[in-house]
Amino acid sequence: MAGVQTAVALREQGFTGPVTLIGAEPHQPYDRPPLSKAVLLGKAEDSAFDVDFEALDITLRLGLDVVGLRPGAHELDTEGGPVPYGTLVVATGAEPVMLPGSEGVPGVHLLRTLDDAARLRPVLERRHDIVVVGAGWIGAEFATAARAAGCDVTVVEAAGHPLAGALPAEVAAPMARWYAQSGAELLTGARVARIEPGAVLLADGRTIPAGAVVVGIGARPATSWLAGSGIALGPDGSVTADSALRSSLPDVYAVGDCASFPSARYGERLLVHHWDNALQGPRTVAAAIVAGDADGQPPPYDPVPYFWSEQFGRFVQYAGHHAGADTLLWRGDPAEAAWSVCWLRDGVMVAVLAVGRPRDLAQGRRLIESAARVDPERAADPSVPLKSAKL
């Protein structure tokens, strides 16, 4: 998404020089969200972007691994030889974290690429007993698809609640019930000791039969190939881009899952592993490249982070960043089908989570963008439109 959108945005913003898009995968560039939904369930063969690269004069070099960067020579090292660049945009995304000791074990899968989805589709068709390691967003979405396919599903989560890396326990607790309601079993506080063919062994001695195992325990920026290049990386492995998404090296930008950026809105550096960031960031990169040619300065990149998830028959949306919030407001009963949560800091809305309440998300996002102060009592009343809680 980030690479394709950058190439397209360059053309839309008037860049007339040559544009080359390099990708390690052999497939036509594709969108990832359908991989855990329609593609996985066999309702779509792929999710290729509807982009006419030839008409846009964008050169595709697919199935080409980039292994290094030599900024002094303005060249990339690839398996097919050196590739020169005038301006480089790093959009290598993130790579899934492997469960230690699971590499090479038969029946262990990841879900990140089109090939991953293709390998998992027959697993669902055969209705294997499936163990999912990790109750994050991808774990929940895969468990949803596996239950829809008629598989028995057990989800193993080391933390005490699902979505532990994304949401506080009190907000995620109602979501734990969704697993049982769908017919999946959720085991929290359960650490995997090892995976053997046909079984997952937990640290407490339990053994779970597993016709297949899907690991979804997180992702990290795919930046190891930049070692020795001089590009500054953060402790999380991300390229530490500035507010125009420029890296620490001249003529090198970074966008999407592989890059962090300073947020004036939240007063900290953010690393956002979500689709919307890979859609929005490229417009800033393209503007910076075009403005650089004209000695201009693009507006700083400081979005309200946004993502969504479809799981267990529910549409979950989140906007903002709740770290640092001092007030949490519930809108509705989390035992019901639709509810939402708002976070405030010093009376200003900074984040909103909406389950089946898209209007709350849309209005809350606008309040966050405008740094609006809200009346907590009105904001906590689900019968009051969020926009009407603005002071």
Side-chain angles (χ1 to χ4, degrees):
M1 167 62 82
V4 167
Q5 292 298 327
T6 299
V8 171
L10 282 166
R11 291 299 186 225
E12 289 177 345
Q13 297 187 33
F15 183 78
T16 57
V19 175
T20 300
L21 185 60
I22 298 175
E25 293 183 66
H27 312 290
Q28 282 289 114
Y30 61 87
D31 205 6
R32 294 191 189 278
L35 297 184
S36 60
K37 306 173 184 72
V39 174
L40 185 61
L41 290 172
K43 298 176 181 178
E45 284 303 311
D46 60 38
S47 53
F49 290 112
D50 185 18
V51 174
D52 190 335
F53 294 101
E54 186 175 354
L56 291 172
D57 193 22
I58 296 169
T59 300
L60 294 182
R61 298 193 63 179
L62 305 177
L64 182 62
D65 265 319
V66 177
V67 297
L69 168 63
R70 288 179 290 112
H74 263 59
E75 285 185 340
L76 292 168
D77 287 323
T78 79
E79 292 184 335
V83 176
Y85 68 87
T87 301
L88 174 66
V89 180
V90 178
T92 44
E95 55 195 6
V97 176
M98 285 295 296
L99 191 68
S102 66
E103 295 90 343
V105 178
V108 177
H109 300 266
L110 300 168
L111 181 53
R112 183 74 183 181
T113 69
L114 186 59
D115 289 338
D116 291 337
R119 284 187 288 267
L120 278 164
R121 189 185 297 178
V123 172
L124 298 191
E125 291 171 349
R126 291 193 292 267
R127 298 191 177 181
H128 279 293
D129 292 343
I130 294 175
V131 174
V132 180
V133 182
W137 300 112
I138 193 66
E141 291 189 2
F142 180 81
T144 299
R147 286 299 299 140
C151 300
D152 288 334
V153 179
T154 302
V155 181
V156 177
E157 170 58 51
H161 59 88
L163 297 168
L167 296 173
E170 61 186 305
V171 176
M175 299 176 173
R177 295 192 288 267
W178 301 350
Y179 288 79
Q181 291 167 3
S182 77
E185 183 176 11
L186 172 64
L187 304 178
T188 56
R191 295 189 174 276
V192 174
R194 66 181 185 277
I195 299 177
E196 297 177 351
V200 173
L201 284 70
L202 301 183
D204 62 9
R206 285 179 288 178
T207 298
I208 307 172
V213 178
V214 177
V215 178
I217 56 174
R220 58 181 169 234
T223 55
S224 60
W225 65 280
L226 292 170
S229 68
I231 285 188
L233 302 179
D236 53 16
S238 67
V239 177
T240 51
D242 68 10
S243 62
L245 299 180
R246 287 179 291 245
S247 79
S248 59
L249 292 181
D251 305 321
V252 179
Y253 294 78
V255 64
D257 290 4
C258 68
S260 59
F261 57 89
S263 171
R265 185 189 311 277
Y266 292 105
E268 62 182 283
R269 178 167 288 275
L270 298 183
L271 174 62
V272 180
H273 279 187
H274 292 295
W275 185 90
D276 192 64
N277 180 50
L279 174 69
Q280 305 292 344
R283 298 168 187 165
T284 293
V285 170
I289 292 172
V290 172
D293 291 341
D295 295 323
Q297 183 67 30
Y301 184 63
D302 196 6
V304 172
Y306 166 75
F307 67 85
W308 80 96
S309 176
E310 296 175 67
Q311 52 183 269
F312 307 116
R314 295 164 173 84
F315 187 47
V316 183
Q317 295 173 283
Y318 177 96
H321 181 64
H322 65 266
D326 53 39
T327 303
L328 187 152
L329 305 174
W330 290 87
R331 287 173 58 82
D333 183 349
E336 301 295 331
W339 49 276
S340 58
V341 172
C342 301
W343 285 268
L344 311 182
R345 184 177 63 210
D346 297 330
V348 174
M349 188 170 296
V350 292
V352 58
L353 171 78
V355 177
R357 291 181 66 102
R359 188 170 297 174
D360 277 4
L361 189 288
Q363 295 181 9
R365 190 177 185 179
R366 286 193 287 271
L367 291 173
I368 297 166
E369 287 171 344
S370 63
R373 296 183 63 83
V374 298
D375 179 336
E377 186 173 341
R378 289 179 62 78
D381 185 343
S383 68
V384 174
L386 263 183
K387 63 182 180 182
S388 298
K390 181 179 178 179
L391 291 174

